[in-house]
Amino acid sequence: MNKHTEIRFEEAIEDFLINSAGYSKGDPFAYDIEKALFPADVVGFVAETQPSKWNALKKILNDRAEETLIHDLTKELSLKGALHVLRHGFKSFGKPFRLAFFTPNSNLNQQAWADYEKNRLTVTRQLHFSPKNPNLSLDVVISLNGLPVVTLELKNPMTGQTIENAIHQYKFDRQPSDPIFVFKERALVHFAVDTDAVFMTTR
């Protein structure tokens, strides 16, 4: 038996999100465990959607631009939380940057729609998240422009595990101090899922 008894469940969710909902496949090896971010996705999104400010930052900082951007983002996430940063952005070296673009209220501003379409939604399977225990992994993580916003633990009753096992996993096998679980600073919601039910928590 495959040690990941929910692997087919994972595959089905990933397949739907990629082929029917516009997500991209995330790379678990691109994840920075300490910062709880996908730095390349953050930088890529900023460079693509805010090129003038990004180029100005690079002109000032040269090869330290990426490091500085990520450092300032993590600092702002710690101070104000993920939801605030997604809504209002953050500053790096005095320059304001957006981390997400939300659905425009009308069709009048085509640039707003173009920016919205550039959001990077990724689904990453088997993400190793713990600085202290490298063997631990989350079944599925959904990220927006490099910031993890949703985690999921999946169970398949056909193999003897149910949603109760997923809830137990979150309660006793996951540490609130791990960067991805720090309340308000990274993932905003956590789902325990089996083929019959879904439970969620924000903390």
Side-chain angles (χ1 to χ4, degrees):
M1 180 184 293
N2 192 302
K3 68 177 181 177
H4 299 301
T5 55
E6 68 282 344
I7 190 168
R8 300 294 175 236
F9 199 8
E10 285 182 30
E11 290 173 347
I13 290 174
E14 180 188 58
D15 181 72
F16 174 81
L17 291 175
I18 291 174
N19 294 308
S20 301
Y23 285 64
S24 298
K25 185 180 180 68
D27 178 6
F29 297 104
Y31 181 70
D32 187 314
I33 291 177
E34 296 288 348
K35 294 181 175 64
L37 294 170
F38 292 88
D41 285 342
V42 174
V43 173
F45 170 76
V46 166
E48 182 182 11
T49 59
Q50 301 148 88
S52 60
K53 286 185 284 188
W54 172 240
N55 288 331
L57 191 67
K58 287 201 299 180
K59 187 175 182 180
I60 297 169
L61 298 173
N62 298 312
D63 59 357
R64 294 190 296 112
E66 293 188 10
E67 178 186 353
T68 301
L69 185 82
I70 296 300
H71 174 270
D72 292 342
L73 171 59
T74 56
K75 183 178 178 180
E76 194 79 347
L77 288 167
S78 297
L79 289 172
K80 297 183 178 178
L83 192 57
H84 183 278
V85 171
L86 287 171
R87 286 176 171 168
H88 303 290
F90 66 103
K91 286 187 177 182
S92 182
F93 218 72
K95 299 182 181 301
F97 289 96
R98 299 287 300 272
L99 192 60
F101 291 97
F102 292 92
T103 310
N105 294 324
S106 72
N107 292 320
L108 298 177
N109 188 336
Q110 293 305 307
Q111 184 58 51
W113 278 102
D115 289 336
Y116 170 71
E117 293 294 335
K118 292 175 183 175
N119 283 318
R120 301 180 178 202
L121 287 164
T122 57
V123 52
T124 308
R125 290 171 49 196
Q126 294 303 315
L127 182 74
H128 292 269
F129 62 87
S130 175
K132 296 180 180 179
N133 190 339
N135 295 319
L136 294 178
S137 64
L138 285 156
D139 290 334
V140 176
V141 172
I142 292 173
S143 304
L144 173 60
N145 303 323
L147 175 68
V149 291
V150 178
T151 75
L152 300 93
E153 290 291 357
L154 310 179
K155 300 301 171 188
N156 185 355
M158 296 294 291
T159 58
Q161 290 199 319
T162 69
I163 197 169
E164 296 300 329
N165 297 98
I167 292 171
H168 184 278
Q169 203 167 12
Y170 272 122
K171 284 184 174 180
F172 301 107
D173 298 336
R174 304 291 180 250
Q175 297 299 320
S177 58
D178 280 331
I180 197 170
F181 293 121
V182 176
F183 185 53
K184 295 184 179 181
E185 292 185 21
R186 292 298 186 277
L188 298 171
V189 62
H190 312 280
F191 289 98
V193 185
D194 68 17
T195 55
D196 298 312
V198 178
F199 279 58
M200 60 167 284
T201 183
T202 57
R203 191 170 193 169

